[in-house]
Amino acid sequence: MPELPEVETTCRGLAPHLEGHKVRSVQVRQPRLRWPVDPDFAKHIKNARILKLERRAKYLLVHTDRGCAIWHLGMSGSLRLIQSEERAEKHDHIDWRLDSGLVLRYRDPRRFGALLWTAGDPLSHDLLSHLGPEPLSEAFTGDHLFSSSRRRKQSVKTFIMDGRIVVGVGNIYASESLFLAGIRPDREAGSISRARYLRLAEVIQQVLRRAIAQGGTTLRDFIGGDGQPGYFAQELNVYGRAGLPCPTCGRPVRDITLGQRNTFFCVHCQR
């Protein structure tokens, strides 16, 4: 958390209020995030004009006329626009003061997020250069999953969560997609047929689009750029529902651990 739909929701919510505006100043109250904030970050971006916001995987890219800020929200981070007079609280670590008078505030209780700067192409940055296709792009297909999975013995769930295969399919959406595709999450990735991967790719796209439309999934910490929670949690079929009835067959949802992550599925509906 946050996963791709939450970052996409944040990006779409912030873009109209940031694009075209200048960053007048930056205040870093706590530089010790997942990676330390560059001491010169405020100098790099001061008076820079924000040209475009976009998402790559779970990273938010803020393109300016001087370079690009790469923001990762970690497990508990959020970005929201506030009035300049709003007082900072304990976990409000970074403020960007805009020429509009608004402040972009980064809050992160666990400090697993990051704010990085690059003067070059952000897609060539070490964090981004190795990533696989976007799940909502034309490059992501069932054929891609099938060809990439051959001879792989890892579970299909950890396979589709591998950012080198496809980006942004996090724990929640992997569990939900595999349920709707009728595939057990602990099946070996290399044992699944092309036809089933074609179906899985379609379902992954459907699930992510629906989650984005609902504003993401708020389970504990996520709040979107507009300060509002995501409502996709109300549509979850199996994630977080261990012991509760499967919405399809009524049998109890199972909970196992795969790749050190809780995994939820129905023994009867998923094969």
Side-chain angles (χ1 to χ4, degrees), residues 7-244:
V7 181
E8 181 67 22
T9 298
T10 298
C11 182
R12 294 183 184 186
L14 293 177
H17 305 283
L18 268 62
E19 292 177 351
H21 288 281
K22 284 190 174 182
V23 181
R24 290 304 187 195
S25 63
V26 172
Q27 182 178 8
V28 180
R29 300 183 188 86
Q30 174 56 272
R32 292 179 298 158
L33 302 179
R34 183 175 182 179
W35 299 288
V37 178
D38 183 346
D40 291 327
F41 181 87
K43 295 179 182 178
H44 291 318
I45 204 169
K46 183 178 180 180
N47 291 323
R49 185 175 298 278
I50 298 172
L51 305 177
K52 181 177 67 172
L53 268 69
E54 66 175 339
R55 178 194 54 75
R56 175 65 171 126
K58 300 178 185 180
Y59 295 92
L60 180 67
L61 308 182
V62 185
H63 297 272
T64 77
D65 55 4
R66 293 187 180 178
C68 183
I70 303 173
W71 224 314
H72 192 286
L73 301 182
M75 295 181 67
S76 62
S78 63
L79 286 165
R80 60 193 182 96
L81 286 165
I82 61 169
Q83 299 298 322
S84 59
E85 65 271 13
E86 186 171 327
R87 189 173 181 177
E89 298 181 0
K90 178 180 179 180
H91 301 298
D92 294 336
H93 302 314
I94 301 173
D95 282 357
W96 289 14
R97 192 170 299 275
L98 306 174
D99 60 2
S100 64
L102 295 175
V103 171
L104 178 65
R105 176 162 290 174
Y106 177 62
R107 179 179 177 84
D108 190 354
R110 302 185 189 184
R111 289 195 281 130
F112 289 161
L115 176 60
L116 306 170
W117 175 262
T118 178
D121 178 5
L123 299 183
S124 299
H125 191 279
D126 289 345
L127 290 174
L128 304 179
S129 61
H130 68 286
L131 295 177
E134 288 285 334
L136 300 180
S137 71
E138 293 183 358
F140 176 65
T141 64
D143 285 328
H144 166 71
L145 290 179
F146 178 71
S147 62
S148 301
S149 67
R150 297 308 85 190
R151 298 185 180 181
R152 288 184 180 257
K153 295 186 178 299
Q154 70 186 119
S155 72
V156 64
K157 179 168 179 278
T158 58
F159 171 68
I160 64 174
M161 289 179 63
D162 185 341
R164 294 166 297 183
I165 302 301
V166 57
V167 300
V169 185
N171 197 30
I172 297 170
Y173 303 108
S175 288
E176 290 296 301
S177 296
L178 289 166
F179 171 75
L180 293 173
I183 300 172
R184 275 185 67 117
D186 54 355
R187 284 277 306 275
E188 285 189 7
S191 71
I192 295 171
S193 70
R194 178 178 178 275
R196 301 194 82 190
Y197 272 126
L198 291 175
R199 171 62 179 156
L200 179 58
E202 291 178 356
V203 168
I204 287 172
Q205 292 177 330
Q206 292 168 6
V207 167
L208 291 175
R209 286 194 176 101
R210 195 160 68 245
I212 291 169
Q214 293 288 342
T217 306
T218 296
L219 296 180
R220 290 194 301 271
D221 304 302
F222 171 70
I223 296 293
D226 58 358
Q228 299 300 313
Y231 295 101
F232 189 69
Q234 298 173 11
E235 296 188 16
L236 295 177
N237 292 289
V238 290
Y239 186 87
R241 293 177 52 83
L244 297 176

Side-chain angles (χ1 to χ4, degrees), residues 1 3 157 161 170-171 239 256-263:
M1 282 300 285
E3 297 187 7
K157 179 168 179 278
M161 289 179 63
N171 197 30
Y239 186 87
I256 61 174
T257 301
L258 290 174
Q260 301 181 330
R261 306 297 295 273
N262 285 348
T263 302

